[in-house]
């Protein structure tokens, strides 16, 4: 788990079961499946009141989906991609009621998107239980062209939209679920610091 | 007193300058010969006549030119003005605060007349005469915050208060010192201050937040913050950093006096009545080194402050490329004589 | 002055709303409009009693559209420490009082999708203002209002006229029980709950909501807490070099004010944190009655809230 040294970056305390919730709504991606299994595997009562949305992400080969299917969730949505999962999540949130606890597990960009979706349905981000699993790759927004680049593992990197050389600033926006990318050679074009693989 | 508004620019040919009167009223931010973070918050009470603190909202000779520059920024990048939907009541509160303050303290330039909810706003310097219904957004050409802040110097953020924190859920930011409203909108007080070095460890933000959560209606507060800017550019946004960043490489020992500007932010906070939100105003003042040293006390003091500045702050404030040259240039204006306490010129 | 700006007002109307509640209309003496306020706000009312100034916080019910008056509601409490008795027995039309600027420690969550307002007895005063704000902004809301009997429902007619069947009443004398578990199910995601009333009711409603799986972020309450009485003790201010006695029926804050100390305050009910003081020494046991300090703060014995907490012992030394 990433160290909580960046004051703008949310701390993800990890999943824990809310025993009082009437419904559990879980969104998971890739390795996040393991966090879901850790919490729900031996909780049949909770599983019977839970809806799970899962997309394999980068770890499809590990067959987490099959293990999750075996748990007999009240609702199970195996989705091919993050965007399709988020669309389905939005539909479920539309009619969800208070007493529903929302959980999210996976890479940080995914956590950010799920929390943002919940927030548009009136859920305070602090009430979403989140766990970071899988790659430390960052989702980065270019502050200049506003384009998002997914899975950034090194700084500096080239913006996938406008082509500027960006360094990844340790400043995180929960609303965007992204770090901030800022032009690294604005003061001396072409003068780039050594590339560092910091977010593997 | 009628203000003579200047025609000047904050980009391209950079014709901005301060008149001798504007130099005298510049809000110099150092009350001693060194600088360190502190919770330097004080009551926003009326200050000395003709100073930048004389009135709650300060309008000066740069007003018209700054409003023209803001319009240019918004035309290029509409994301500089954003507001989450639940902030609409706070927007109206802000409109009332600014219009009332400007009309009361600068009656020769601004007039506000009210008949119940039917208001009429006259802004002579900008040639505006607008009748509208307070509380009805359809009667204004822009949403209320954007409407009034296109006519008021300074950036403005509206902070919602909930869960024992302040949330930056609305704002118009076109004259910022390298921070992005579009990135920071929706953040809480601790989050948007995250990039600031040193101060977190000193507990500055915890104390400031605790103080602001109990900010009272009718008791606004203020503080000064500062940085430096090359050329009198108001829009030093991160969005455009790839365009203005190279300005920092153009400083030479010969042009320090003309190019290097001290940039001071007069930050003020008010509790708003209807929304319980807080408005955070950030008004930028700029002064080039040549103008600054016409006040001998300020020349001496700024030299000593910059010379002793901690390396983390030199880096964070983006001074690295020209810090040394500026200290050298200022040293010629520091004879070592003692300086008097306080901000104001001797 | 530490409570902030004060506004001199005159009582221009008194209404015996129920056998125990009076509503007072306050008008500014200087004629300048009273400022708008956000729903849920209170003012501290300064009452000129014979031997002292009594300061009590009262929620604002409403403000005349032109700012010419505020209304507050005051319950006569059986063991009055002076404030409610003063308002009921001494205040007449024409009495001059002072109030502070409005302070809001019970605000609406503006981004909420729906709002459940729950009031018991005099707790209706902030809820009344909140309901009005929600009506004005076309929000989704329900009002649940519990009272002893028909005679105690002073606000019912006004509420009914404004809110129609969004208002649900619960009368003790008709065995109508406000059962929170009947209200909470099927509320849409993003609903916020607000409760104001007697301590026991607040606790029951909040506990019911937690049991129903509602997150803390969506639960809001305001307690009308008078400073608890206790044994007398003495207090010494280490920096100011002042020592004074705190009577059994007096709060620490009131004793300091009586001694001429300009101590900070906002809510006077243990909620806002403004009057937090550092304890240097306590010859006895600190009795914490506030809702502000964390359990760790309380256990440390190094902090105390002047407005509601006290010492069970001989002398308290504060870093003031």
């Amino acid at each position: 788990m990433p160290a909580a040294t960046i004051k703008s970056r949310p701390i993800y305390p990890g999943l824990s079961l809310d025993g009082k919730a009437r419904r559990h709504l879980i969104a998971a991606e890739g390795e996040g499946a393991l966090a879901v299994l850790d919490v729900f595997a031996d909780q049949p009562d909770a599983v019977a009141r839970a809806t799970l949305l899962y997309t394999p992400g980068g770890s499809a080969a590990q067959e987490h989906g099959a293990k999750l299917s075996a748990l007999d969730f009240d609702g199970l949505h195996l989705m091919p991609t993050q965007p399709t999962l988020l669309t389905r999540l939005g539909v479920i949130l539309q009619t969800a009621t208070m007493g529903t606890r929302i959980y999210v597990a996976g890479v940080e960009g995914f956590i950010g998107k799920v929390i943002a979706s919940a927030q548009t349905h009136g859920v305070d981000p602090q009430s979403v239980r989140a766990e970071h699993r899988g790659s430390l790759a960052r989702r980065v927004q270019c502050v200049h062209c506003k384009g998002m680049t997914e899975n950034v593992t090194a700084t500096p990197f080239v913006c996938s939209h406008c082509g500027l050389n960006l360094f990844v600033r340790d400043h995180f926006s929960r609303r965007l679920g992204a770090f901030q990318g800022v032009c690294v050679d604005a003061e001396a074009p072409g003068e780039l610091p050594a590339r560092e693989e910091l977010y593997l | 007193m009628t203000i003579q508004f200047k025609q000047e620019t904050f980009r391209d040919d950079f014709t901005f300058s301060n008149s001798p009167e504007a130099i005298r009223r510049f809000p110099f931010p150092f009350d001693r010969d060194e600088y360190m973070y502190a919770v330097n918050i004080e009551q926003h009470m009326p200050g000395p006549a003709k100073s930048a603190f004389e009135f709650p909202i300060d309008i000066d000779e740069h007003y018209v030119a700054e409003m023209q520059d803001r319009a240019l920024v918004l035309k290029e990048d509409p994301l500089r003005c954003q507001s989450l939907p639940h902030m609409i009541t706070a927007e109206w509160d802000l409109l009332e605060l600014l219009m009332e303050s400007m009309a009361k303290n600068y009656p020769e330039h601004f007039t506000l007349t009210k008949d119940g909810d039917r208001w009429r706003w006259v802004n002579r310097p900008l040639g505006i005469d607008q009748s509208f219904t307070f509380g009805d957004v359809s009667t204004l050409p822009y949403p209320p915050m954007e409407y009034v802040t296109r006519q008021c110097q300074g950036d403005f953020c509206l902070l919602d208060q909930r869960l024992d924190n302040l949330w930056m859920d609305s704002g118009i930011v076109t004259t910022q010192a390298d921070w992005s409203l579009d990135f920071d909108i929706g953040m809480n007080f601790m989050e948007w201050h995250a990039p600031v070095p040193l101060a977190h460890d000193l507990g500055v933000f915890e104390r400031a937040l605790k103080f602001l959560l109990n900010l009272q209606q009718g008791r606004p507060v203020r503080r000064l913050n500062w940085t430096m800017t090359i050329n009198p550019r108001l829009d030093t946004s991160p969005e455009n950093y790839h365009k203005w960043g190279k300005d920092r490489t153009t400083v030479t020992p010969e042009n320090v006096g003309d190019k290097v500007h001290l940039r001071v932010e007069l930050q003020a906070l008010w509790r708003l009545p209807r929304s319980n939100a807080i408005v955070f105003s950030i008004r930028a003042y700029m002064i080039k080194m040549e103008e600054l040293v016409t006040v001998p006390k300020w020349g001496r003091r700024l030299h000593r402050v910059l010379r002793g500045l901690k390396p983390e702050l030199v880096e964070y404030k983006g001074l690295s490329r020209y810090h040394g040259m500026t200290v050298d240039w200022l040293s010629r204006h520091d004879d070592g004589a003692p300086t008097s306490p306080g901000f104001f010129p001797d | 002055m530490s409570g902030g700006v004060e506004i001199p007002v005159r009582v221009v109307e008194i209404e015996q709303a129920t056998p125990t509640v009076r509503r007072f209309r306050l008008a500014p003496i200087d004629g300048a409009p009273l400022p708008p306020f956000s729903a849920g706000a209170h003012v501290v009312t300064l009452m000129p009693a014979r031997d002292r100034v009594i300061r009590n916080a009262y929620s604002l019910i409403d403000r005349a559209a032109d700012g010419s008056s505020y209304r507050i509601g005051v319950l006569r409490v059986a063991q009055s420490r002076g404030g409610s008795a003063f308002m009921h027995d001494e205040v007449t039309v024409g009495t001059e009082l002072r109030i502070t600027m409005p302070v809001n420690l019970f605000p609406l969550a503006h981004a909420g999708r729906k709002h459940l307002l729950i009031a018991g007895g005099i707790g209706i005063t902030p809820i009344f203002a909140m309901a009005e704000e929600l009506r004005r902004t076309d929000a989704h809301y329900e009002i649940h209002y519990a009272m002893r009997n028909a005679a105690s429902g002073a606000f019912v007619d006004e509420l009914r006229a404004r809110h129609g069947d969004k208002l649900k009443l619960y009368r003790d004398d008709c065995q109508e029980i406000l059962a929170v578990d009947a209200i909470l199910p099927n509320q849409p995601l993003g609903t916020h709950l607000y409760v104001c009333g007697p301590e026991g009711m607040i606790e029951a409603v909040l506990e019911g909501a937690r049991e129903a799986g509602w997150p803390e972020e969506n639960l809001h309450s305001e307690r009308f807490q008078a400073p608890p009485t206790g044994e007398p003790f003495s207090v010494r201010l280490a920096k100011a070099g002042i020592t004074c006695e705190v009577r059994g029926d007096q709060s620490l804050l009131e004793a300091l004010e009586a001694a001429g100390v300009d101590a900070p305050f906002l809510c006077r009910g243990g909620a806002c944190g403004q009057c937090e003081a550092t304890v240097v020494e306590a010859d006895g046991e600190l009795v914490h009655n506030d809702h502000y300090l964390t359990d760790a703060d309380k256990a440390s014995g190094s902090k105390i809230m002047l407005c509601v907490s006290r010492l069970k012992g001989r002398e308290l030394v504060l870093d003031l």
Side-chain angles (χ1 to χ4, degrees):
Chain A
M1 188 171 295
T5 51
I6 309 166
K7 302 284 181 198
S8 58
R9 183 182 194 157
I11 297 162
Y12 310 112
L15 297 194
S16 62
L17 189 70
D18 177 359
K20 291 182 172 162
R22 301 288 162 97
R23 291 287 308 172
H24 307 282
L25 177 56
I26 312 153
E29 174 274 350
E31 301 291 312
L34 298 173
V36 176
L37 289 167
D38 284 352
V39 172
F40 287 89
D42 53 357
Q43 299 283 348
D45 292 349
V47 166
R49 285 181 285 128
T51 300
L52 171 70
L53 299 92
Y54 179 68
T55 186
S59 54
Q62 301 209 15
E63 298 291 327
H64 295 321
K67 283 185 213 153
L68 290 168
S69 302
L71 279 191
D72 212 17
F73 282 97
D74 183 48
L76 176 66
H77 304 264
L78 292 177
M79 307 304 293
T81 59
Q82 284 190 27
T84 54
L85 184 151
L86 289 164
T87 304
R88 182 66 55 92
L89 177 68
V91 172
I92 294 172
L93 286 170
Q94 285 267 325
T95 54
T97 54
M98 291 300 290
T100 304
R101 176 65 71 173
I102 298 167
Y103 307 80
V104 56
V107 293
E108 192 161 27
F110 177 75
I111 295 175
K113 284 181 257 186
V114 167
I115 290 178
S117 173
Q119 193 168 13
T120 64
H121 291 87
V123 178
D124 190 275
Q126 295 177 32
S127 6
V128 178
R129 299 195 176 177
E131 180 158 339
H132 185 174
R133 287 281 181 126
S135 159
L136 296 180
R138 290 179 169 188
R139 183 166 190 254
V140 182
Q141 189 199 42
C142 172
V143 75
H144 311 292
C145 78
K146 308 294 180 188
M148 290 286 183
T149 301
E150 305 280 345
N151 296 317
V152 173
T153 57
T155 185
F157 73 101
V158 176
C159 175
S160 58
H161 302 267
C162 70
L164 285 174
N165 294 303
L166 305 179
F167 77 95
V168 182
R169 205 172 183 197
D170 272 350
H171 191 30
F172 184 83
S173 162
R174 191 185 334 89
R175 185 180 70 95
L176 301 168
F179 287 84
Q180 190 174 53
V182 182
C183 183
V184 71
D185 57 345
E187 300 183 19
E191 227 174 75
L192 299 180
R195 191 177 140 90
E196 291 179 278
E197 292 278 350
L198 292 178
Y199 321 120
L200 282 173
Chain B
M1 190 195 71
T2 303
I3 304 166
Q4 295 301 317
F5 298 109
K6 299 176 68 181
Q7 287 215 335
E8 57 193 357
T9 58
F10 302 88
R11 54 180 72 204
D12 305 323
D13 57 350
F14 295 112
T15 59
F16 167 89
S17 68
N18 288 296
S19 69
E21 296 74 36
I23 294 173
R24 292 289 297 181
R25 72 193 301 283
F26 188 82
F28 188 73
F30 307 108
D31 63 347
R32 66 196 68 188
D33 288 356
E34 60 186 357
Y35 171 75
M36 194 51 211
Y37 277 113
V39 184
N40 54 337
I41 300 176
E42 59 179 332
Q43 296 294 322
H44 190 28
M45 304 291 278
K50 295 184 180 175
S51 75
F53 313 111
E54 182 178 8
F55 302 123
I57 298 293
D58 181 42
I59 300 296
D60 67 12
E61 65 184 19
H62 309 298
Y63 173 71
V64 172
E66 284 192 28
M67 293 302 97
Q68 288 165 348
D69 195 70
R70 163 159 293 163
L72 289 174
V73 173
L74 290 171
K75 191 168 271 184
E76 288 171 4
D77 184 359
L79 293 176
R80 303 298 188 84
C81 179
Q82 295 190 51
S83 191
L84 300 181
H86 62 270
M87 300 304 283
I88 188 65
T89 304
E91 290 195 37
W92 285 109
D93 275 335
L94 176 67
L95 176 135
E96 176 185 60
L97 173 74
L98 298 187
M99 284 187 178
E100 285 194 337
S101 179
M102 290 163 76
K104 180 180 172 200
N105 298 311
Y106 303 95
E108 62 282 21
H109 299 304
F110 310 101
T111 305
L112 178 65
T113 42
K114 296 181 185 177
D115 174 14
D117 286 342
R118 292 169 58 203
W119 293 21
R120 181 178 172 200
W121 169 248
V122 179
N123 178 335
R124 289 176 203 89
L126 298 182
I128 292 169
D129 183 341
Q130 176 82 42
S131 294
F132 64 99
T133 304
F134 186 86
D136 182 352
V137 290
S138 68
T139 58
L140 284 175
Y142 298 100
M145 174 181 70
E146 180 171 353
Y147 180 77
V148 72
T149 56
R150 278 176 176 268
Q151 302 178 49
C152 187
Q153 285 170 278
D155 288 342
F156 294 87
C157 298
L158 298 174
L159 316 179
D160 192 31
Q161 182 161 338
R162 60 181 189 269
L163 302 173
D164 292 328
N165 215 323
L166 296 171
W167 304 80
M168 191 185 288
D169 286 345
S170 188
I172 180 161
V173 178
T174 65
T175 67
Q176 68 272 52
D178 205 8
W179 67 279
S180 166
L181 173 76
D182 180 53
F183 194 78
D184 287 5
I185 192 169
M187 288 190 186
N188 68 36
F189 190 82
M190 291 300 167
E191 291 168 349
W192 84 69
H193 283 113
V196 183
L198 302 178
H200 284 280
D201 295 336
L202 297 172
V204 166
F205 296 124
E206 282 83 357
R207 285 200 297 279
L209 174 60
K210 214 168 186 176
F211 178 85
L212 292 176
L213 288 173
N214 280 338
L215 184 66
Q216 294 169 61
Q217 210 171 313
R219 273 198 151 185
V221 297
R222 68 170 172 244
R223 69 181 286 262
L224 293 174
N225 195 15
W226 69 278
T227 185
M228 303 192 87
T229 302
I230 302 309
N231 298 327
R233 187 188 295 277
L234 274 176
D235 176 26
T236 50
S237 60
E239 276 82 358
N240 286 332
Y241 170 61
H242 58 304
K243 297 175 189 163
W244 58 261
K246 54 185 173 291
D247 289 5
R248 288 176 175 166
T249 64
T250 62
V251 182
T252 64
E254 292 71 39
N255 67 17
V256 164
D258 184 49
K259 280 221 174 250
V260 177
H261 289 68
L262 176 64
R263 181 188 190 106
V264 173
E265 292 177 351
L266 170 55
Q267 304 178 345
L269 298 112
W270 286 260
R271 173 73 66 190
L272 293 172
R274 296 170 186 78
S275 57
N276 200 43
I278 286 177
V279 55
F280 176 34
S281 74
I282 309 147
R283 168 70 187 281
Y285 296 83
M286 296 185 292
I287 188 169
K288 66 173 70 175
M289 292 299 104
E290 275 167 4
E291 292 171 346
L292 184 125
V293 297
T294 62
V295 178
K297 171 180 167 180
W298 291 354
R300 293 184 185 110
R301 179 163 290 166
L302 184 61
H303 171 244
R304 296 167 199 180
V305 166
L306 287 182
R307 193 178 54 190
L309 199 62
K310 285 191 187 307
E312 297 95 319
L313 290 176
V314 171
E315 169 72 22
Y316 169 66
K317 290 180 184 285
L319 318 182
S320 305
R321 285 182 194 273
Y322 54 87
H323 175 254
M325 270 185 273
T326 308
V327 171
D328 288 346
W329 191 89
L330 284 168
S331 70
R332 305 205 298 266
H333 298 272
D334 183 1
D335 54 10
T339 53
S340 60
F343 305 98
F344 294 103
D346 288 325
Chain C
M1 270 307 285
S2 291
V5 179
E6 289 173 4
I7 307 170
V9 292
R10 182 178 293 116
V11 175
V12 294
E13 185 187 339
I14 301 175
E15 183 193 358
Q16 188 75 42
T18 78
T20 53
V21 174
R22 283 189 166 191
R23 287 191 290 208
F24 299 84
R25 188 176 294 281
L26 312 175
I29 288 174
D30 69 2
L34 294 167
F37 69 90
S38 56
H42 70 262
V43 293
V44 172
T45 303
L46 291 84
M47 295 163 253
R50 258 175 230 59
D51 53 340
R52 64 197 166 115
V53 177
I54 305 171
R55 294 174 175 84
N56 276 8
Y58 297 115
S59 291
L60 290 167
I61 299 169
D62 57 14
R63 168 185 181 267
D66 58 1
S68 61
S69 67
Y70 285 151
R71 280 199 303 169
I72 58 172
V74 180
L75 170 72
R76 175 193 274 282
V77 292
Q79 282 88 37
S80 173
R81 297 169 50 263
S84 80
F86 184 93
M87 291 300 288
H88 278 256
D89 299 338
E90 310 281 328
V91 171
T92 57
V93 168
T95 299
E96 295 188 0
L97 303 166
R98 281 174 294 153
I99 56 174
T100 62
M101 288 289 263
V103 169
N104 198 340
L105 299 170
F106 191 36
L108 287 164
H110 298 292
R113 292 306 155 101
K114 185 177 174 185
H115 308 268
L116 292 187
L117 307 175
I118 303 178
I122 190 66
I124 193 66
T125 51
I127 296 290
F128 189 95
M130 295 159 97
E132 184 58 22
E133 169 73 4
L134 293 167
R135 187 187 66 81
R136 192 185 64 75
T137 55
D138 262 336
H140 295 289
Y141 65 98
E142 297 171 9
I143 311 164
H144 299 268
Y145 178 20
M147 68 195 86
R148 285 219 179 86
N149 50 46
S152 66
F155 295 83
V156 171
D157 291 345
E158 287 179 42
L159 288 167
R160 185 65 78 200
R162 290 162 197 241
H163 305 289
D165 56 11
K166 289 192 170 70
L167 174 67
K168 310 260 189 313
L169 298 177
Y170 305 84
R171 278 171 52 183
D172 285 355
D173 64 336
C174 298
Q175 279 75 50
E176 292 167 342
I177 306 299
L178 195 165
V180 70
D181 52 0
I183 300 171
L184 297 180
N186 304 319
Q187 295 293 350
L189 208 56
T191 303
H192 285 254
L193 180 156
Y194 310 81
V195 54
C196 186
E199 182 81 19
M201 175 199 186
I202 292 175
E203 285 311 322
V205 168
L206 294 180
E207 199 43 40
R210 290 182 191 117
E211 283 303 318
W214 287 46
E216 289 295 328
E217 290 80 11
N218 294 53
L219 305 179
H220 314 274
S221 62
E222 184 162 73
R223 293 165 168 85
F224 280 85
Q225 187 184 15
T229 55
E231 301 293 312
F233 60 98
S234 80
V235 59
R236 180 157 64 84
L237 306 186
K239 286 183 187 151
I242 294 173
T243 300
C244 65
E245 298 301 313
V246 183
R247 295 194 314 263
D249 64 346
Q250 200 180 26
S251 75
L252 192 42
L253 179 60
E254 288 165 341
L256 293 179
E257 287 169 345
V261 176
D262 189 22
F265 71 85
L266 276 185
C267 76
R268 305 181 80 86
C272 74
Q274 187 79 350
C275 67
E276 176 183 319
T278 300
V279 175
V280 179
E281 225 177 292
D283 179 9
E285 178 197 346
L286 297 177
V287 183
H288 294 287
N289 296 309
D290 63 279
H291 296 275
Y292 178 78
L293 293 176
T294 63
D295 289 345
D297 283 338
K298 290 177 182 175
S300 78
S302 64
K303 289 177 180 167
I304 190 166
M305 308 310 296
L306 301 179
C307 62
V308 292
S309 299
R310 49 197 306 128
L311 181 79
K312 192 175 175 184
R314 195 181 59 84
E315 191 190 50
L316 179 66
V317 185
L318 298 174
D319 189 26
L320 287 174

